[in-house]
Amino acid sequence: MSSLSSLADRVGILPEYVGHGASGVCATSDETRVALLAAMGIDASTEERAREALDALDAREAAQLIERVRVVAEPRAPAHREHTVERPMGHAVELPLRLPDAWSGAPLDWTMELHDEGGAVHRASGSARNADAEMALPLPVGPAPGYHTVRLHVRAAHEEREAEQTLIVTPSSCVTPAGLLGGRRVFGITANLYTIRSARNWGVGDLTDLRDLAVWSAEVGADFIGVNPLHALRNHDSQISPYSPVSRLFRNVLYLDVEAVPELAESAEAREMLARRDVREALRSVHASERVEYERVMALKRPVLELLHRTFARAHRGTADARGAAYARYLEQQGRSLTTFATFLALDEHVAAERGGRACWREWPAPYRDPRSPEVARFRDAHREQVDFHSWLQFELDRQLEAAARAGVDAGMAVGLYQDLAIGSAGDGSDTWAFPELFVMGASIGAPPDPLAPQGQNWALPPLDPGALRDTGYHYWRFLLRAALAHAGALRIDHVMGLFRQFWIAEGMPGSQGAYVRFPAHDLLGILALESVRHRALIVGEDLGTVPPEVPRAMHEWGILGSRVLYFERDHAGDFRGAASYPSLSLATANTHDLPTIEGFWCGRDIALRREVGLITSDDVMERARAERARDRQALVRRLEAEHVLPAGAAEPRDAELRGAVHEFLCRTPAALVGISLDDLVGETEPVNLPGVTLDVYPSWQRRLHTPLDALRDDADVATSLRCSRANASNGSNARNTANGSNASNGPNGPDEPDEP
């Protein structure tokens, strides 16, 4: 094997992958290896330089007495072992050492301290008459699950060395439906929050709408309410996709209900602004719009929120009253991460005002590109109120989200809020600015070529560097999970295969020349299990498409629910699989945000749209797609009749009856969770997203619901669509008041905080 191949393998670049369909095995080219290594900051442009880089990695590893971070899972109970697969695990009661060759056979003396998560310090010491090159020392105690620090001092061969390790002990599994729900099967309502129309919102669904939807959902028997990612966005131009956020650590101000902010009652100035004729007319305009007008909505919310922040700062900030004390606690919980995020937003606005338009932070004046620079510190001091404004917005978002989650649980939901974690952050956003050492800016996450995208897909999201992630003790991953799980009883991991491997495309190269990069799945899944247990939350992995066999095995091993989508559950003949074939450890849905609604699927609206935007290139291809869809419709009816959710031989079902039959079918599967889309309940035809085209071609993420939230209770078609759900609600309704998955009191932080600026 060449030095280049060895080096690429060492850092996780896989030598090949199985392509789609008949494409066979796709080998990683040397050109791709060199480009991806360069993106990681490693010069492998010649075989000699590749060898030098490999030697440097060897030397670095040899110099480490103990690993910088170690993730160890507790042993599984024997009853569960029959369903597990082998994976790398150490022993929580021992600390492996890697000793220099010169110490081999020499007497060795050592002392050790284990600083556990609770602050206690446990000490041990000992001697070995003949040091072994690879030996293990007993820990002072067997630590409980959590984040601990091990400090070691050794003396041998007239040398003394010290080393430190982050030891993460994890549960053997995430919270499972059996553990949370006692084996009962439940259903929930899933919604794209921005699409919700209500009598009171400002042209976009907000957190008060989420609260009201949660209460209604609980009334009709639902045990969870799912939403799109609520991550922070810029909310202008093309920067509106919930899956390409400015930050995954903080939330989108768009979802704030301005009129629910407590300071409105104290601010006559803000109330006067809302009473102005021009403001009322603008609100009526965005409220009546068929699309979510992100920029116009934010232009209305921003000045009112600024007035409310001034009122808060004057009346509550720094005081001991309930509101001031809650804000102080929130700032302490979030730590420097929040300050850094708020500073980024203030700088982003400042530079945009000076330039007359926004620019990526890598194009800012050089001193502002480093969040740790003295110039950034001076800017933060000079713009203290602006930074505090953005911090306060996140505080209020957290308060309103907690209220929405709590309302669902109080109304009887066993799971509560089901949140969504996107796979990456935008390259020009806060996360990459705050943690530049973690992101590979010269590459992008994507997908390999397939029939719908022959050149592959480039998602324009810079990947995390798995080596840097590990070297920093997985702080970012830990903080990210806590932020995502705050107030949640369940969490969806978008593209869960990304915890195992990610498809990287080097800058300037086509997707057809990308390669998969290996990630430390054992460590990431162990930490996920730890945070799942601490937040008492279920984990769902989006595992659709082609995934390697180790992914579903590991998901089952760790208690992670898979995703089962009706449209994809087919046999080799193209027929829909029976309800009994769905696995119990899964979330079953009819579709996803990337797929047509049930109505859109039934009438072929997705086919017409793809032809309109050029994804279907000819009328002949479209006619073949329509013929295939006609066969799909017949197959779906046959399956629904076979499951006795549609009467055999009856006339073609009307719209609401079909949707109700589909939902009843899903509720008859063994799947622990069934997600019923609000889009399908109200009979939407247009999709919220059309993958593969830009916003100027199709307005993804902007379609609003035609049926307002206020009308759901009295809508006969909604009742017809829900008849199956109510009939099957007894599967899960008894779980109410026996489990509380909302974690409304849990903040995103635990005892430790990421080592951020």
Side-chain angles (χ1 to χ4, degrees):
M1 181 181 290
S2 68
S3 296
L4 174 61
S5 296
S6 298
L7 177 61
D9 181 70
R10 184 73 157 272
V11 301
I13 301 172
L14 300 184
E16 61 188 24
Y17 65 90
V18 178
H20 185 87
S23 58
V25 174
C26 301
T28 302
S29 69
D30 284 350
E31 181 184 6
T32 295
R33 290 186 176 95
V34 170
L36 290 179
L37 286 164
M40 296 179 181
I42 301 172
D43 183 359
S45 55
T46 67
E47 185 69 6
E48 181 182 1
R49 289 182 176 174
R51 167 47 59 187
E52 291 172 353
L54 200 56
D55 290 343
L57 288 177
D58 288 339
R60 180 187 174 195
E61 283 192 7
Q64 292 181 7
L65 189 62
I66 56 177
E67 293 183 78
R68 294 182 183 180
V69 62
R70 184 164 169 243
V71 180
V72 181
E74 290 187 315
R76 287 185 169 83
H80 190 66
R81 286 187 185 278
E82 61 182 328
H83 302 295
T84 66
V85 295
E86 292 301 318
R87 60 192 176 125
M89 280 181 53
H91 299 284
V93 295
E94 291 186 328
L95 178 68
L97 271 67
R98 185 188 300 110
L99 301 179
D101 292 340
W103 291 13
S104 181
L108 181 142
D109 297 313
W110 57 272
T111 59
M112 186 190 308
E113 290 183 347
L114 190 151
H115 297 249
D116 71 25
E117 192 176 57
V121 180
H122 309 273
R123 295 179 173 84
S125 60
S127 300
R129 296 184 61 184
N130 296 295
D132 211 348
E134 292 187 1
M135 59 185 298
L137 302 177
L139 294 177
V141 295
Y147 304 98
H148 314 290
T149 301
V150 177
R151 296 195 175 105
L152 178 69
H153 180 275
V154 295
R155 183 173 64 251
H158 309 293
E159 288 187 64
E160 294 189 31
R161 290 176 61 180
E162 294 184 343
E164 182 173 300
Q165 178 184 93
T166 297
L167 175 63
I168 305 173
V169 181
T170 78
S172 61
S173 172
C174 298
V175 169
T176 64
L180 185 69
L181 303 169
R184 291 176 288 268
R185 294 177 293 121
V186 302
F187 82 93
I189 307 298
T190 62
N192 296 289
L193 183 55
Y194 53 89
T195 68
I196 292 178
R197 190 187 298 268
S198 69
R200 43 146 300 281
N201 75 32
W202 289 20
V204 62
D206 59 30
L207 292 172
T208 295
D209 290 326
L210 179 59
R211 181 201 66 194
D212 295 343
L213 179 61
V215 171
W216 174 81
S217 299
E219 289 174 0
V220 298
D223 275 299
F224 64 89
I225 178 71
V227 290
N228 57 281
L230 304 181
H231 306 319
L233 302 176
R234 284 199 172 87
N235 301 308
H236 69 81
D237 299 330
S238 63
Q239 298 181 319
I240 60 174
S241 168
Y243 293 93
S244 184
V246 170
S247 173
R248 293 190 288 168
L249 301 175
F250 297 99
R251 302 186 181 102
N252 191 352
V253 180
L254 182 79
Y255 296 122
L256 269 181
D257 176 5
V258 173
E259 295 177 72
V261 178
E263 281 71 40
L264 184 61
E266 305 173 67
S267 175
E269 192 176 2
R271 295 195 301 275
E272 289 169 5
M273 177 179 286
L274 290 178
R276 281 177 12 204
R277 181 176 178 179
D278 62 321
V279 173
R280 293 200 311 272
E281 289 179 352
L283 283 173
R284 280 194 292 269
S285 176
V286 296
H287 187 270
S289 177
E290 288 300 304
R291 297 183 184 177
V292 178
E293 300 191 43
Y294 289 80
E295 200 160 353
R296 288 185 65 200
V297 171
M298 284 309 304
L300 288 167
K301 290 190 175 186
R302 175 68 180 254
V304 184
L305 290 169
E306 287 175 339
L307 290 175
L308 297 180
H309 172 250
R310 289 177 205 160
T311 299
F312 170 81
R314 182 177 62 252
H316 303 290
R317 189 176 65 194
T319 72
D321 68 17
R323 185 83 166 146
Y327 184 53
R329 286 194 302 272
Y330 181 76
L331 292 179
E332 183 178 6
Q333 287 174 352
Q334 301 302 313
R336 289 173 297 176
S337 286
L338 176 60
T339 302
T340 302
F341 172 72
T343 301
F344 172 87
L345 294 182
L347 262 171
D348 193 40
E349 293 168 351
H350 173 77
V351 174
E354 285 193 338
R355 291 193 171 194
R358 281 186 168 85
C360 174
W361 62 264
R362 293 187 299 280
E363 299 171 1
W364 289 356
Y368 289 162
R369 297 174 198 167
D370 180 2
R372 302 167 181 82
S373 72
E375 289 82 1
V376 168
R378 284 193 290 271
F379 174 89
R380 184 163 45 241
D381 290 341
H383 298 80
R384 190 174 298 119
E385 287 304 310
Q386 192 73 354
V387 172
D388 189 72
F389 170 64
H390 289 295
S391 299
W392 174 81
L393 290 175
Q394 292 301 313
F395 162 68
E396 180 60 18
L397 275 165
D398 189 73
R399 186 192 71 83
Q400 291 191 15
L401 182 64
E402 178 181 3
R406 176 58 61 188
V409 171
D410 289 347
M413 286 185 168
V415 177
L417 183 61
Y418 166 40
Q419 297 211 68
D420 195 352
L421 177 62
I423 190 174
S425 304
D428 62 351
S430 165
D431 288 356
T432 57
W433 181 73
F435 305 97
E437 70 283 359
L438 295 182
F439 289 88
V440 180
M441 300 307 295
S444 173
I445 307 171
D450 61 31
L452 293 179
Q455 290 300 311
Q457 298 177 47
N458 187 321
W459 300 335
L461 299 171
L464 287 163
D465 184 329
L469 198 61
R470 178 177 174 82
D471 286 346
T472 54
Y474 300 109
H475 282 293
Y476 178 82
W477 177 237
R478 290 146 63 176
F479 190 58
L480 183 61
L481 289 175
R482 292 170 192 160
L485 285 164
H487 318 306
L491 177 66
R492 173 185 180 271
I493 306 291
D494 190 38
H495 294 285
V496 72
M497 192 174 78
L499 302 184
F500 298 79
R501 61 176 71 173
Q502 294 180 5
F503 193 74
W504 287 16
I505 304 166
E507 188 173 6
M509 298 183 77
S512 57
Q513 295 185 43
Y516 276 102
V517 176
R518 184 173 56 248
F519 270 65
H522 166 264
D523 292 2
L524 297 176
L525 293 171
I527 295 168
L528 178 61
L530 178 57
E531 295 300 332
S532 164
V533 169
R534 290 190 164 181
H535 289 82
R536 196 162 171 73
L538 301 171
I539 304 298
V540 178
E542 190 266 287
D543 57 347
L544 303 175
T546 303
V547 297
E550 66 266 22
V551 173
R553 286 200 301 265
M555 288 174 62
H556 186 273
E557 180 184 356
W558 285 100
I560 299 172
L561 287 79
S563 299
R564 292 296 178 268
V565 175
L566 172 70
Y567 297 164
F568 299 150
E569 290 300 304
R570 313 284 193 97
D571 60 22
H572 293 299
D575 290 326
F576 288 89
R577 292 192 175 100
S581 69
Y582 285 57
S584 60
L585 193 64
S586 68
L587 165 75
T589 62
N591 43 43
T592 74
H593 63 269
D594 287 330
L595 297 171
T597 63
I598 295 175
E599 286 295 320
F601 176 87
W602 189 253
C603 71
R605 176 57 180 154
D606 58 313
I607 297 172
L609 272 176
R610 295 208 310 270
R611 177 65 177 125
E612 289 173 17
V613 303
L615 292 175
I616 291 178
T617 56
S618 72
D619 290 342
D620 287 343
V621 174
M622 183 173 68
E623 288 308 312
R624 288 197 295 272
R626 284 177 170 168
E628 180 65 27
R629 182 58 53 81
R631 290 190 288 272
D632 290 342
R633 285 168 47 142
Q634 294 170 0
L636 179 58
V637 169
R638 287 197 303 272
R639 173 48 57 197
L640 297 177
E641 289 177 348
E643 301 285 344
H644 306 294
V645 294
L646 275 182
E652 186 172 284
R654 73 180 185 88
D655 298 342
E657 290 172 342
L658 173 73
R659 302 196 304 271
V662 168
H663 294 152
E664 185 170 0
F665 167 78
L666 293 173
C667 285
R668 290 189 177 194
T669 69
L673 304 183
V674 169
I676 296 176
S677 167
L678 185 59
D679 284 356
D680 288 332
L681 286 183
V682 302
E684 290 292 340
T685 301
E686 298 294 304
V688 293
N689 178 42
L690 187 60
V693 297
T694 54
L695 295 181
D696 59 329
V697 176
Y698 182 81
S700 294
W701 321 116
Q702 298 169 63
R703 191 264 287 144
R704 300 179 68 198
L705 293 173
H706 289 91
T707 303
L709 184 59
D710 324 76
L712 293 179
R713 283 184 175 86
D714 301 319
D715 191 301
D717 281 351
V718 169
T720 299
S721 294
L722 266 171
R723 76 185 191 277
C724 59
S725 305
R726 287 198 295 270
N728 287 272
S730 60
N731 289 327
S733 60
N734 292 334
R736 291 172 181 166
N737 302 319
T738 65
N740 179 349
S742 74
N743 292 291
S745 62
N746 287 331
N749 286 330
D752 66 325
E753 180 186 327
D755 185 19
E756 76 285 6

